[in-house]
Amino acid sequence: MAIILDGKIIADAIQREVKIAAEQLRLTTGLVPGLAFILVGENPASQSYVKSKGVACLDAGFYSVTERLPGTADEAEVLALIDRFNKDEKIHGILVQLPLPAHINEQRVIEAIDPGKDVDGFHPVNIGKLMIGIDTLFPCTPAGIIEILKRYAIDPSGKHVVVVGRSNIVGKPIANMLVQKKEWCNAIVTIAHTGTKDLASFTRQADILIAAIGKARAITADMVKPGAVVIDVGINRIPDASTKSGSRIVGDVDFDAVKEIASAITPVPGGVGKTTIAMLLVNTLRAAVKTSPQA
Ligand code: GUN
């Protein structure tokens, strides 16, 4: 039976640390970290994520604003908002919740954000720095995964990490972070994806398996090496008549079966998702500190 890697405990600890650091920053420099959210359209999951992130900002003592645009808004309106926040000294982080409506070019929007305010770590400048091992604003979900490993003393150095999924938000950045010659990285990394034939033959080689697929319970027990560490990034809604809402959230891993053979596993909910929000606060604090003349 696996150890459950509790994302909530870790996120709470990080959020307490950030709150104290933000208070010290305010006392010594007068700076209050400020985060601007841009939400386009009515996607219920996006609305819920932005709400949770906004609550976390308030709890940490940050300043935050949310600009909501209708799903019919055009790209120029989004770019104009970004331009305004880029110039706003009270705003240190800008987060455009993805996905954007199909008529808006996501990449142009990401590239319009000042890289110093790119608290999602999606701007090509930040991704480029990540790739060559320069400290920068790192994408929140991968950064949260590394915090989970660190705080449970699971050292990926010399281990074989298999990442399933090659998204720009999770798969590619976590693979490139873990391969760096740095503490809590230095792993041997394989990226599997939709082009991978016989996925199980790869996942079974993983000492640390990271599932960022976006498909409910795609990783089954037979795909996991006994004793492996399993990190589940999935957030999938499935029908469940026994719940009030008629649905519930499950990960990319068949948790009940895999927990019997893994040595450690993140639950969904209560795993990686919680640390993603905590790392957004860390990034916003870091972005604010960088603007301080005393920094
Ligand atoms: N959509 C899904 N995950 C994310 C994220 O980490 N940041 C943003 N901006 N949008 C997302």
Side-chain angles (χ1 to χ4, degrees):
M1 172 76 182
I3 293 167
I4 308 300
L5 304 171
D6 191 324
K8 179 158 180 1
I9 290 179
I10 290 172
D12 286 348
I14 295 169
Q15 284 174 228
R16 276 196 302 275
E17 292 160 16
V18 167
K19 187 173 181 162
I20 292 166
E23 180 62 4
Q24 276 169 348
L25 182 70
R26 189 182 66 78
L27 291 172
T28 52
T29 67
L31 267 179
V32 175
L35 179 50
F37 297 97
I38 299 175
L39 179 58
V40 187
E42 313 292 325
N43 181 324
S46 290
Q47 287 175 333
S48 150
Y49 294 147
V50 168
K51 196 168 155 212
S52 305
K53 292 171 186 176
V55 168
C57 276
L58 279 182
D59 286 348
F62 289 11
Y63 164 67
S64 94
V65 286
T66 303
E67 288 286 349
R68 292 180 177 80
L69 292 176
T72 52
D74 61 22
E75 194 175 303
E77 288 176 75
V78 181
L79 295 177
L81 265 181
I82 292 173
D83 187 49
R84 198 182 91 205
F85 289 133
N86 277 343
K87 292 175 177 147
D88 187 338
E89 286 186 0
K90 291 199 300 298
I91 295 298
H92 307 99
I94 302 169
L95 185 147
V96 181
Q97 187 64 31
L98 304 178
L100 289 168
H103 64 276
I104 298 179
N105 183 315
E106 229 159 65
Q107 198 54 33
R108 267 202 300 266
V109 167
I110 289 169
E111 289 185 31
I113 298 171
D114 174 345
K117 296 191 177 189
D118 170 38
V119 285
D120 261 325
F122 294 165
H123 193 287
V125 165
N126 289 320
I127 292 290
K129 286 183 176 175
L130 176 161
M131 186 95 189
I132 58 176
I134 295 176
D135 192 30
T136 188
L137 294 167
F138 296 114
C140 301
T141 300
I145 292 171
I146 291 181
E147 279 300 316
I148 292 175
L149 296 175
K150 230 189 240 183
R151 290 179 191 238
Y152 275 94
I154 299 166
D155 190 351
S157 181
K159 302 273 167 54
H160 186 190
V161 174
V162 178
V163 178
V164 189
R166 57 177 153 188
S167 71
N168 290 338
I169 293 182
V170 183
K172 282 186 220 157
I174 189 64
N176 281 288
M177 286 163 81
L178 285 172
V179 85
Q180 300 295 327
K181 194 170 180 179
K182 284 187 180 177
E183 283 196 328
W184 300 101
C185 298
N186 202 35
I188 302 104
V189 180
T190 298
I191 307 180
H193 45 71
T194 47
T196 303
K197 294 191 181 72
D198 192 9
L199 177 63
S201 71
F202 290 90
T203 58
R204 274 198 291 267
Q205 294 177 42
D207 301 313
I208 300 175
L209 179 60
I210 301 178
I213 307 164
K215 191 159 168 247
R217 294 185 286 212
I219 302 293
T220 49
D222 58 303
M223 297 168 78
V224 178
K225 178 165 80 174
V229 172
V230 179
I231 305 290
D232 189 350
V233 185
I235 301 178
N236 309 290
R237 191 170 285 281
I238 60 160
D240 182 349
S242 71
T243 65
K244 226 188 333 176
S245 63
S247 68
R248 72 189 163 101
I249 300 291
V250 298
D252 289 348
V253 176
D254 181 1
F255 180 84
D256 289 336
V258 172
K259 77 176 190 313
E260 299 303 326
I261 56 165
S263 62
I265 185 168
T266 60
V268 177
V272 173
K274 291 277 186 290
T275 58
T276 294
I277 295 181
M279 297 318 289
L280 174 66
L281 300 181
V282 170
N283 277 352
T284 305
L285 176 68
R286 290 184 66 202
V289 168
K290 283 229 170 83
T291 68
S292 158
Q294 281 118 307

